[in-house]
Amino acid sequence: MASSTDPSPSPSARPSLWRHRDFRRYLTGQTASVTGSSVSIMVIPVLAVLELDATTAEVAWLTFLGQLPPALLALYAGALADRHAKRKQMITGDLISSAALASVPVAAFLDRLSLPHLMVVAAVQGGAGVLHDAAAISLLPSLVDRSLIQRSNSRIGALFAVAATAGSSLGAALTALLGPARALLGDVLSYLVSAWCTARIQASENPRPAVEGRRLHTEIGEGLRYVHGDHRLRTLTLVNATTSFALALMNTLWALYLLRSLAMSATVFGVVLGFGALGAAVGALAAPSLAARYGPGPMMLAALALTPVTQIPLLLASPGLVWQFAIGTALFLQLACAAAAGTTQRSIRQVVTAGAMQARMQAVSTWLTSGARPVAALLAGGLGSWIGVRATLIVGSCLLLVPLVVLYRSPLRTLREMPGSPAVTPPATAALAQPAPSPRGPAVPRPAAPGDVRHDRSPGGSP
């Protein structure tokens, strides 16, 4: 295994990622997890709207409760992942999620399933998911050399998109064959596969032991100061948070709008999700070449500029096959943009962050993006009841201009190549309070920037 601090090998000497045993196990487990998540993303709205007859406000509360735990726990989960073994934290999160989700088909079988039950499951699953994600994202830089991080993220993003496509189609098929409640058993199985694959990773971990007398709050504060002290991390985190808020506002009512207002069937809904996920695969695979040709900054800026435009078919749509195709095509383009930008910004953040700060850096981004989502969900419920679902979607589309402005006003918009790795930081606490300086100086942007690994998998999930 190549250490994250080893010198970058020449291109000809780089091993194939597919021959990297621990990377394959990591990727297999997380891909199974994404496939299962896509089943739930397709099935749970159908279960709530069509089976339990949820209102607009109840759909908003369901979304709010599922997204609140990450907002509350992300910083703690990141600090724990930097202090303890990441794989154990990932496995624990998977097993808790599996148990919580398994209670849904059991309750349905006993004819005891209700919206409050579904809301509790969403809250438990959200808390367990943030424990898993904080460790999973920060584990990757310890599995592969930093020179391979962008290529790894590209492969991961593409395979996840294919898995999401398969999961959406599987969710539609399972719903038709078994009913929505029992269809969730597909996601239960995915959590178990993820835990098994994670347990088989053999790469040694060197968790940073807790300094006697130092509280978790102190280490959380270090992570916050670290991100704030680096303009690249600060800008990209703010872009993620504002994108997340706008998309969360739209995604809260997205399924309700398609299933009820546009009279889309559960099968067509799954197909549209799957078609959109293919766009994410294209965007993730194209990200390295697009970043190399146009520069990471201009590429991300163009992707953010296209995202609001892709909402136009959704806002103009009416029931019918033509509009269903238009929405699927727009979703394809939207997720292609999200995957290209998300893969690039995630690689930048991982490359410029010191190894001992990886989980806490990721946790700060998760905390802000997750914190924006429950607020957006409540706002969506209020606006949807007050001005209507379509008008609320228009508000969300307009808010997608905010992250574009944030990135445009940053020096990152001119970033023409991927930045270099930070200097190795000493283990002293004081050295962790600030990010390592760039070897070429802070004046020039390029050397000096989103969806669970199980991130938000809903359409337009933040990068």
Side-chain angles (χ1 to χ4, degrees), residues 19 52 56 119 140-141 159 163 207 232 253 259 304 339 349 376:
R19 296 181 180 178
L52 300 177
T56 299
M119 291 177 181
L140 177 62
L159 193 55
R232 301 161 297 182
L253 303 178
L259 292 169
L304 289 176
R349 290 190 291 117

Side-chain angles (χ1 to χ4, degrees), residues 19-53:
R19 296 181 180 178
H20 194 303
R21 183 175 56 189
D22 284 334
F23 178 75
R24 287 202 316 270
R25 290 171 177 171
Y26 172 89
L27 190 59
T28 301
Q30 301 314 306
T31 301
S33 180
V34 171
T35 303
S37 293
S38 297
V39 171
S40 290
I41 287 170
M42 185 269 156
V43 169
I44 288 179
V46 173
L47 186 61
V49 175
L50 301 184
E51 296 289 327
L52 300 177
D53 199 27

Side-chain angles (χ1 to χ4, degrees), residues 285-317:
L285 286 175
S289 59
L290 290 174
R293 181 171 182 177
Y294 301 105
M299 187 269 283
M300 290 189 294
L301 196 66
L304 289 176
L306 282 172
T307 300
V309 178
T310 61
Q311 307 305 317
I312 293 176
L314 178 69
L315 302 177
L316 298 178

Side-chain angles (χ1 to χ4, degrees), residues 142-180:
S142 68
L143 296 179
V144 300
D145 187 89
R146 284 181 184 253
S147 65
L148 300 175
I149 283 181
Q150 187 182 21
R151 195 149 56 99
S152 299
N153 279 322
S154 174
R155 303 298 189 274
I156 289 171
L159 193 55
F160 281 7
V162 173
T165 303
S168 297
S169 302
L170 179 62
L174 290 176
T175 299
L177 291 174
L178 305 175

Side-chain angles (χ1 to χ4, degrees), residues 35-98:
T35 303
S37 293
S38 297
V39 171
S40 290
I41 287 170
M42 185 269 156
V43 169
I44 288 179
V46 173
L47 186 61
V49 175
L50 301 184
E51 296 289 327
L52 300 177
D53 199 27
T55 65
T56 299
E58 286 170 336
V59 170
W61 273 106
L62 178 63
T63 304
F64 171 78
L65 291 173
Q67 294 175 346
L68 183 61
L72 298 178
L73 301 176
L75 293 177
Y76 294 93
L80 287 172
D82 272 338
R83 180 186 284 189
H84 302 294
K86 294 178 174 61
R87 285 180 293 155
K88 289 183 179 179
Q89 186 165 318
M90 292 166 62
I91 293 170
T92 300
D94 280 335
L95 295 180
I96 293 174
S97 293
S98 179

Side-chain angles (χ1 to χ4, degrees), residues 408-424:
Y408 181 77
R409 292 174 59 86
S410 164
L412 282 177
R413 72 178 186 273
T414 61
L415 186 66
R416 293 292 179 179
E417 63 184 40
M418 292 295 292
S421 300
V424 177

